[in-house]
Amino acid sequence: TENEQRGPPGSGKGTQSPLIKDEYCLCHLATGDMLRAAVAAKTPLGVKAKEAMEKLDEMLEKKGTKVDKVLNFAIDDAILEERITGRWIHPSSGRSYHTKFAPPKVPGVDDVTGELLIQRKDDTADVLKSRLEAFHRQTEPVIDYYSKKGIVANLHAEKPPKEVTAEVQKALS
Ligand code: ADP
Ligand code: ADP
C-alpha cells in the first residue's frame, strides 16, 4: 500500500512527514528535494529527472491503482508566502524550521546535529508565485482524480503543527 502527501509548497508536508515515517512506518520520499538537487547538479540522473518531472501526472495515474490514501494539505495561498520566506532547512536530514513559527534553538543552526541551516534558492515570494501556478495546474487535478475515488483526507493545514498532526493521525487510523 502507498500513501501520498499532496499540498502546495509550504503547506507543511515536510514538517509532518517524520510522524508518518516513524509512527506508521511509511517512507516520506523527499522526491522534490532529491530531484531538485540532481537537476541543479546537471547529472545524468538530473537530466532524466527533469524529463520525468514533466511526465509526473502520467506517472501518478499509472501509480493510481496502488495508492490507498491521499493526505491533502489544504491551505489558502495567502498563508504560504510568510511560511516559505521564513523557512530554513537542514539539507542532509530535510528538517525544516521557521524563523517565527518553529525557530531553531540557535538561529541558523540545526538543533540535532549543530550543522548550519540553509534557505532554498527558490523560497522567495516571487518564485513562490510560479510554484503555486504549477501546483494549481499540475497537482490539483491529481487531488481531484483521487477525490473521485473517495480516498482523499482533506487536512486543515493552516492550523498549528500539533493540530495538523492530530488530523494526520486520524486520517491514517
Ligand atoms: P512543505 O514540505 O509542504 O513545503 P514545510 O513542512 O517545509 O512545507 O513547511 C514550510 C514552512 O512552514 C517551514 O518553515 C515550517 O517550519 C513551517 N510550518 C510547517 N507547518 C506549519 C504550521 N502548521 N504552522 C506554521 N508554520 C508551519
Ligand atoms: P515542494 O517540496 O516544493 O512541495 P514537491 O515535492 O511537490 O515540491 O516536488 C517538486 C517538484 O518535483 C515538482 O515539479 C514535482 O512535479 C516534482 N516531483 C515530485 N515528486 C516526483 C516524483 N516522484 N517523480 C518525478 N517528479 C516529482
Side-chain angles (χ1 to χ4, degrees), residues 46-60:
V47 175
K48 279 201 176 155
K50 199 159 181 284
E51 288 166 14
M53 281 156 88
E54 277 145 22
K55 286 196 186 171
L56 185 58
D57 285 358
E58 204 180 302
M59 289 166 59
L60 279 174

Side-chain angles (χ1 to χ4, degrees), residues 26-92:
L26 305 172
C27 287
H28 170 259
L29 298 175
T31 43
D33 293 347
M34 293 186 320
L35 292 174
R36 270 187 293 273
V39 171
K42 296 200 173 71
T43 61
L45 170 68
V47 175
K48 279 201 176 155
K50 199 159 181 284
E51 288 166 14
M53 281 156 88
E54 277 145 22
K55 286 196 186 171
L56 185 58
D57 285 358
E58 204 180 302
M59 289 166 59
L60 279 174
E61 267 205 43
K62 283 186 192 151
K63 276 178 81 178
T65 50
K66 281 194 227 145
V67 175
D68 62 5
K69 185 68 95 181
V70 176
L71 302 181
N72 178 28
F73 285 69
I75 190 164
D76 212 81
D77 283 3
I79 299 176
L80 296 173
E81 183 177 323
E82 192 179 19
R83 286 217 188 160
I84 283 291
T85 56
R87 172 158 71 179
W88 286 80
I89 290 171
H90 177 240
S92 64

Side-chain angles (χ1 to χ4, degrees), residues 1 6 15 62 69 77 85 91 95 109 112 120-121 150 161:
T1 61
R6 293 279 134 192
T15 298
K62 283 186 192 151
K69 185 68 95 181
D77 283 3
T85 56
R95 263 186 295 281
V109 176
V112 180
R120 258 171 62 174
K121 238 186 10 219

Side-chain angles (χ1 to χ4, degrees), residues 94-164:
R95 263 186 295 281
S96 57
Y97 297 86
H98 193 282
T99 46
K100 183 166 158 191
F101 305 126
K105 291 191 187 102
V106 179
V109 176
D110 178 49
D111 288 352
V112 180
T113 63
E115 291 165 355
L116 289 181
L117 304 176
I118 60 137
Q119 282 189 295
R120 258 171 62 174
K121 238 186 10 219
D122 53 353
D123 274 355
T124 63
D126 217 45
V127 179
L128 174 63
K129 284 201 189 89
S130 52
R131 286 162 69 198
L132 279 175
E133 276 167 30
F135 171 79
H136 291 304
R137 196 175 57 243
Q138 298 173 343
T139 307
E140 264 177 359
V142 178
I143 296 170
D144 289 343
Y145 169 84
Y146 288 123
S147 288
K148 292 194 182 100
K149 297 186 162 208
I151 59 166
V152 173
N154 288 302
L155 310 178
H156 297 87
E158 79 286 354
K159 288 183 178 173
K162 282 191 178 125
E163 289 177 42
V164 178

